[in-house]
């Protein structure tokens, strides 16, 4: 039985949700039951202990995981998150979503995810570095440029990726830049990777706007989450002239019906450490932000934010999932019934892993591209994936999540079938 996660008052089971999604896609695809059975299970699950000397001299042990769901289509790929609520069910669900995501954008990877149970805001920089290095060393037995390539996720960033690259390289005795993506550019990171997930969300928004007959240049947008995905997509939307009426982070957000000046807001956050009391805007809670009347809502924080409790009150026309798993299955059904188009995470936020793929290719070849080339190639991948999903959605008369799952699961199942079963 999948473990419950608390998301406010509602209960949320990410693995149960991921397995139910697989069942739906399998049924729609009339998938061979043997292949369906195989895809339910992660191929490898590694739990590690991370004993760390804290700055005050005492020893503390953190728990870490790396789950490799599938390597049918290529090396495993997926981020590493640092969060106090990380658990094995969540990491397994996220690994499974990575498998479908890489297949939907048709890049040659399987899916994986990692996590360390910790609250990075309560660790010093040196403690965080020791956690990262010991964790990398422990999962070092299953990662590598042609085995499994980690990347950033919730609460991890290029600096953390740099420590991962360095630790793996130290253990190997030579530089191995292809072992991780989302690295600093100085050690083989790709131009455009930092903004890639947010940029991908915007490319998808352009397609979704086209599809629904909306004018993006005057559309009103609300964004929940101001981490890497939320802040970058806010900046890119802003540069395109869209009206961003609200944004928020873990401590709440700000709202102005006429639109927020995002560069100024970023300065305000840097200066004060919070969004609160931004000049000309009203403070707003995270839950109220989700219920604002707007054209596009981008949940870009964490899982389980739109549930059966608030789905009836969502007033956006289109939801573009920047985060992984922000909408529960029950909420999905309510939104679909209400005619709200939900562009699912496994399509909408695939820009990050797509540019991770470009970074890996560049790292392996030691030949680096201009940012314009990265963005152009990213756009092509996102637009193609969106259009393929729309085609399936219309052909099978299903919602967009099921269509995306059908595309992803179908591609993985084809690969599994063509490889055959060992032994
Ligand atoms: N963590 C990101 C995701 O969920 C990026 C993964 C990657 O770049 O490998 O898609």
């Amino acid at each position: 039985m999948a473990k419950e996660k608390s998301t406010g008052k509602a209960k949320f089971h990410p693995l149960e949700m991921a397995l139910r999604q697989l069942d739906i896609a399998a049924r729609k695809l009339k998938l061979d039951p043997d292949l369906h059975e195989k895809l339910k299970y992660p191929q490898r699950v590694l739990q590690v202990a991370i004993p760390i000397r804290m700055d005050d001299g005492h020893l503390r042990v953190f728990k870490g995981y790396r789950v490799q769901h599938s390597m049918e289509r290529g090396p495993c790929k997926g981020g590493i998150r640092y969060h106090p609520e990380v658990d094995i069910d969540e990491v397994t669900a996220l690994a499974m979503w990575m498998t479908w995501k890489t297949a939907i954008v048709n890049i040659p990877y399987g899916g994986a995810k990692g996590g360390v149970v910790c609250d990075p805001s309560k660790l010093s920089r040196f403690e965080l570095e020791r956690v990262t290095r010991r964790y990398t060393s422990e999962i070092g037995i299953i990662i590598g440029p042609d085995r499994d390539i980690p990347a950033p996720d919730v609460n991890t960033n290029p600096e953390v990726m740099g420590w991962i690259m360095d630790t793996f390289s130290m253990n190997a005795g030579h530089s191995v830049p292809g072992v991780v993506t989302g690295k600093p550019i100085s050690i083989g990171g790709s131009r455009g990777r930092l903004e890639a997930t947010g940029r991908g969300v915007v490319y998808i928004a352009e397609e979704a706007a086209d599809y629904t007959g909306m004018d993006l240049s005057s559309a009103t947008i609300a964004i929940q989450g101001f981490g890497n995905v939320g802040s970058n997509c806010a900046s890119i939307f802003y540069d395109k002239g869209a009206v961003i009426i609200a944004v928020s982070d873990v401590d709440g957000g700000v709202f102005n019906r006429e639109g927020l000046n995002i560069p100024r807001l970023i300065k305000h956050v840097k200066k004060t450490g919070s969004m609160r009391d931004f000049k000309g805007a009203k403070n707003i809670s995270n839950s109220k932000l989700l219920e604002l009347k707007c054209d596009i809502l981008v949940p870009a924080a964490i899982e389980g934010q739109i549930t059966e409790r608030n789905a009836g009150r969502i007033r956006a026309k289109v939801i573009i999932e920047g985060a992984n798993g922000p909408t529960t299955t029950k909420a999905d059904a309510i939104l679909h019934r209400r005619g709200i188009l939900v562009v699912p995470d496994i399509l909408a936020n695939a820009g990050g892993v797509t540019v991770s793929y470009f970074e890996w290719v560049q790292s392996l070849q030691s030949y680096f591209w201009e940012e314009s080339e990265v963005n152009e190639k990213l756009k092509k991948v996102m637009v193609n994936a969106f259009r393929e999903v729309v085609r399936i959605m219309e052909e099978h008369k299903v919602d967009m999540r099921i269509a995306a799952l059908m595309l992803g699961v179908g591609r993985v199942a084809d690969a599994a079938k063509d490889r055959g079963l060992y032994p």
Side-chain angles (χ1 to χ4, degrees):
M1 175 68 183
K3 202 178 132 194
E4 283 177 355
K5 284 194 102 60
S6 67
T7 52
K9 287 171 215 104
K11 297 278 189 277
F12 180 59
H13 313 261
L15 185 55
E16 224 171 74
M17 178 165 135
L19 286 168
R20 200 170 322 145
Q21 291 172 347
L22 173 60
D23 291 346
I24 297 171
R27 198 175 336 116
K28 291 277 174 198
L29 287 165
K30 300 189 179 44
L31 195 67
D32 171 351
D34 289 351
L35 287 174
H36 181 190
E37 184 66 9
K38 189 166 184 242
L39 296 177
K40 286 181 193 168
Y41 297 89
Q43 182 163 344
R44 284 185 196 139
V45 177
L46 179 63
Q47 181 184 318
V48 298
I50 309 166
I52 292 304
R53 186 73 58 201
M54 303 298 279
D55 290 348
D56 66 5
H58 87 281
L59 181 135
R60 192 169 151 196
V61 183
F62 295 87
K63 220 187 238 180
Y65 306 100
R66 184 73 185 171
V67 175
Q68 298 177 334
H69 172 255
S70 159
M71 48 189 83
E72 303 288 1
R73 301 180 68 258
C76 297
K77 187 85 189 81
I80 289 170
R81 62 173 54 186
Y82 290 174
H83 197 277
E85 283 185 38
V86 159
D87 63 39
I88 192 62
D89 281 358
E90 180 194 42
V91 180
T92 306
L94 288 161
M96 190 182 278
W97 287 329
M98 283 310 301
T99 302
W100 316 142
K101 193 187 298 188
T102 54
I104 289 163
V105 286
N106 211 1
I107 55 178
Y109 287 135
K113 203 79 172 195
V116 176
V117 188
C118 70
D119 182 351
S121 70
K122 302 212 167 89
L123 297 176
S124 74
R125 189 174 170 278
F126 291 113
E127 288 166 343
L128 200 66
E129 179 173 350
R130 287 194 285 275
V131 166
T132 302
R133 288 188 181 277
R134 183 62 188 255
Y135 170 68
T136 304
S137 213
E138 291 300 332
I139 65 165
I141 53 172
I142 61 167
I143 64 169
D146 45 23
R147 300 165 144 234
D148 178 3
I149 305 113
D153 198 79
V154 174
N155 290 331
T156 56
N157 57 19
E159 186 178 38
V160 172
M161 299 306 115
W163 294 328
I164 293 176
M165 182 272 195
D166 185 66
T167 305
F168 191 87
S169 299
M170 285 294 129
N171 287 342
H174 58 96
S175 274
V176 189
V179 66
V180 70
T181 59
K183 308 179 282 294
I185 291 182
S186 61
I187 52 173
S190 176
R191 293 195 163 75
R193 174 61 186 89
L194 196 61
E195 304 82 9
T197 314
R199 195 175 293 284
V201 165
V202 176
Y203 289 147
I204 289 292
E206 286 171 343
E207 286 297 300
D210 237 27
Y211 181 70
T212 55
M214 180 192 291
D215 178 7
L216 193 61
S217 64
S218 59
T220 51
I221 301 176
I223 302 171
Q224 185 203 37
F226 213 59
N228 175 275
V229 184
S231 65
N232 278 301
C233 88
S235 298
I236 300 166
F237 271 131
Y238 181 82
D239 289 344
K240 287 189 180 283
V243 185
I244 300 163
I245 58 166
V247 294
S248 67
D249 62 17
V250 271
D251 303 317
V254 285
F255 164 68
N256 180 344
R257 172 76 35 220
E258 303 307 314
L260 298 162
N261 182 314
I262 298 298
R264 250 188 244 155
L265 177 64
I266 291 174
K267 270 192 208 136
H268 171 82
V269 173
K270 271 197 188 126
K271 201 165 119 197
T272 66
S274 140
M275 285 187 182
R276 310 301 283 177
D277 305 326
F278 178 52
K279 208 167 150 223
K282 268 198 231 145
N283 292 335
I284 187 171
S285 69
N286 257 305
S287 52
K288 280 278 168 283
L289 178 140
L290 295 174
E291 297 170 15
L292 287 172
K293 187 166 168 14
C294 60
D295 293 313
I296 298 178
L297 171 65
V298 182
I302 50 166
E303 306 97 87
Q305 297 301 297
I306 304 175
T307 68
E308 78 255 42
R309 287 168 197 267
N310 60 2
R313 293 194 298 271
I314 304 280
R315 289 183 290 161
K317 291 189 189 121
V318 175
I319 296 176
I320 302 186
E321 295 185 332
N324 291 311
T327 312
T328 64
T329 311
K330 280 188 184 151
D332 245 349
I334 298 170
L335 296 168
H336 186 58
R337 237 188 353 258
R338 295 186 53 226
I340 297 172
L341 179 72
V342 180
V343 186
D345 46 6
I346 47 178
L347 168 64
N349 70 31
V353 73
T354 299
V355 177
S356 273
Y357 166 57
F358 299 157
E359 177 173 331
W360 179 71
V361 169
Q362 293 171 77
S363 284
L364 294 181
Q365 299 183 340
S366 298
Y367 179 70
F368 297 92
W369 313 347
E370 297 294 331
E371 184 171 346
S372 54
E373 196 179 344
V374 170
N375 293 344
E376 211 175 287
K377 287 190 161 78
L378 170 63
K379 182 167 186 174
K380 210 175 268 175
V381 169
M382 298 305 288
V383 168
N384 283 345
F386 183 91
R387 292 183 185 169
E388 274 186 89
V389 170
V390 165
R391 187 185 51 73
I392 297 171
M393 178 168 87
E394 288 177 346
E395 191 184 318
H396 292 266
K397 303 198 173 19
V398 290
D399 70 30
M400 210 170 195
R401 189 181 316 277
I402 298 174
L405 284 162
M406 288 171 73
L407 179 61
V409 172
R411 281 189 174 146
V412 179
D414 283 347
K417 191 162 139 256
D418 290 341
R419 287 177 70 145
L421 188 63
Y422 173 87

